[in-house]
């Protein structure tokens, strides 16, 4: 176990999932190298959510309530981008989890590749109970390969080919993330548009190795993209 913390802030975007957020926090605290800071950006959840993680707050995890509460995860993301002082930042969704070596591998990659604005990774899919299903988020990607997307066209075409660049485990170079707007007018594909905009400052990378767990459950926002939104992205 290395003693030095990584120069990264882990933000967990939270809304009314007390059981899941406990698991997410455990996965962050179990990293082979710890982050410099852990923040919970909560979008006006019921009190049970904060109460479920009191012991983590007592250990230094920061709880940051929404400035303007609305059940909109994109606004929660935008709020989390503000006031980040570390070199890197990641915005983990509260229903996902990191594998133990996630931060060590991804931050080390960014440290060695200055031309990269952000790096994502493949992941294991898990069910509501947290058990792995045997499938990966991206079954078409080689787990021993690192993929590079050099411009917005290459990124958009990943989505147009019925695939994606997983958003929850993206580690961003903070100075680049602060230069782009989160364009909410694109609805569910604004995640992809953000990556397209980031590509103006550096390549977007994807580690084919599964380094996080993506929970598959009901009422997920990313399970369906309307054709008109996909057309906007392709345009």
């Amino acid at each position: 176990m290395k003693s030095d913390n990584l120069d990264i802030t882990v933000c967990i975007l939270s809304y009314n999932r007390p059981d899941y957020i406990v698991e997410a926090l455990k996965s962050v605290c179990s990293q082979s190298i710890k982050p410099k800071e852990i923040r919970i950006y909560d979008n006006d959840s019921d009190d049970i959510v904060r109460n479920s993680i009191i012991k983590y707050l007592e250990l230094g995890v920061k709880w940051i309530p929404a400035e303007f509460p609305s059940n909109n995860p994109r606004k929660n993301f935008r709020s989390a981008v503000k006031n980040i002082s570390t070199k890197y930042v990641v915005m983990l969704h509260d229903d996902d989890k990191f594998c133990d070596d996630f931060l060590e591998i991804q931050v080390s990659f960014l440290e060695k590749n200055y031309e990269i604005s952000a790096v994502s990774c493949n992941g294991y899919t898990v069910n509501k109970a947290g058990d792995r299903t045997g499938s990966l988020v991206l079954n078409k990607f080689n787990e021993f390969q690192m993929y590079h997307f050099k411009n917005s066209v290459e990124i958009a075409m990943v989505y147009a080919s019925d695939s994606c660049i997983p958003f929850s485990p993206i580690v961003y170079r903070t100075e680049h993330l602060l230069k782009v707007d989160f364009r909410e007018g694109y609805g569910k594909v604004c995640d992809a548009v953000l990556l397209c905009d980031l590509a103006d400052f550096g390549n977007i990378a994807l580690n084919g190795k599964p380094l996080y767990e993506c929970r598959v459950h009901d009422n997920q926002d990313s399970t369906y993209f309307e054709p008109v939104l996909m057309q906007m992205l392709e345009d």
Side-chain angles (χ1 to χ4, degrees), residues 5-9 34-37 85-89 107 111 174:
N5 291 344
L6 295 169
D7 193 11
I8 185 171
T9 300
K34 303 297 186 287
K36 183 174 289 187
E37 189 173 18
S85 59
T86 51
K87 188 175 182 179
Y88 306 108
V89 61
V107 171
E111 286 283 274
T174 304

Side-chain angles (χ1 to χ4, degrees), residues 99 124 129 149 158:
C99 296
Y124 302 99
F149 305 98
V158 172

Side-chain angles (χ1 to χ4, degrees), residues 136-205:
L136 297 179
V137 176
L138 303 170
N139 291 300
K140 298 179 181 179
F141 287 76
N142 188 326
E143 66 177 294
F144 300 105
Q145 185 172 340
M146 185 70 74
Y147 298 84
H148 292 243
F149 305 98
K150 299 178 181 179
N151 52 57
S152 59
V153 173
E154 293 184 4
I155 293 167
M157 292 312 296
V158 172
Y159 290 82
S161 63
D162 197 28
S163 188
C164 71
I165 298 173
F167 198 68
S168 182
I170 295 177
V171 178
Y172 303 89
R173 201 175 293 277
T174 304
E175 63 175 316
H176 292 181
L177 183 60
L178 291 173
K179 294 177 180 178
V180 299
D181 294 324
F182 200 54
R183 298 200 267 173
E184 295 182 46
Y186 282 87
K188 291 182 180 181
V189 298
C190 65
D191 300 356
V193 173
L194 177 70
L195 294 179
C196 289
D197 290 340
L198 269 174
D200 289 337
F201 302 97
N203 295 354
I204 307 300

Side-chain angles (χ1 to χ4, degrees), residues 26 42 86 106 128 198 213 221 230:
K26 284 181 180 178
D42 184 72
T86 51
Q106 297 297 77
K128 289 189 287 186
L198 269 174
E213 293 186 347
D221 194 42
M230 288 304 301

Side-chain angles (χ1 to χ4, degrees), residues 1 14 16 44 58 101 106 109 140 160 166 175 219 229 233:
M1 177 78 69
S14 163
N16 271 344
D44 202 30
E58 292 173 347
D101 54 356
Q106 297 297 77
F109 172 77
K140 298 179 181 179
E175 63 175 316
N219 301 318
L229 293 177
L233 175 59

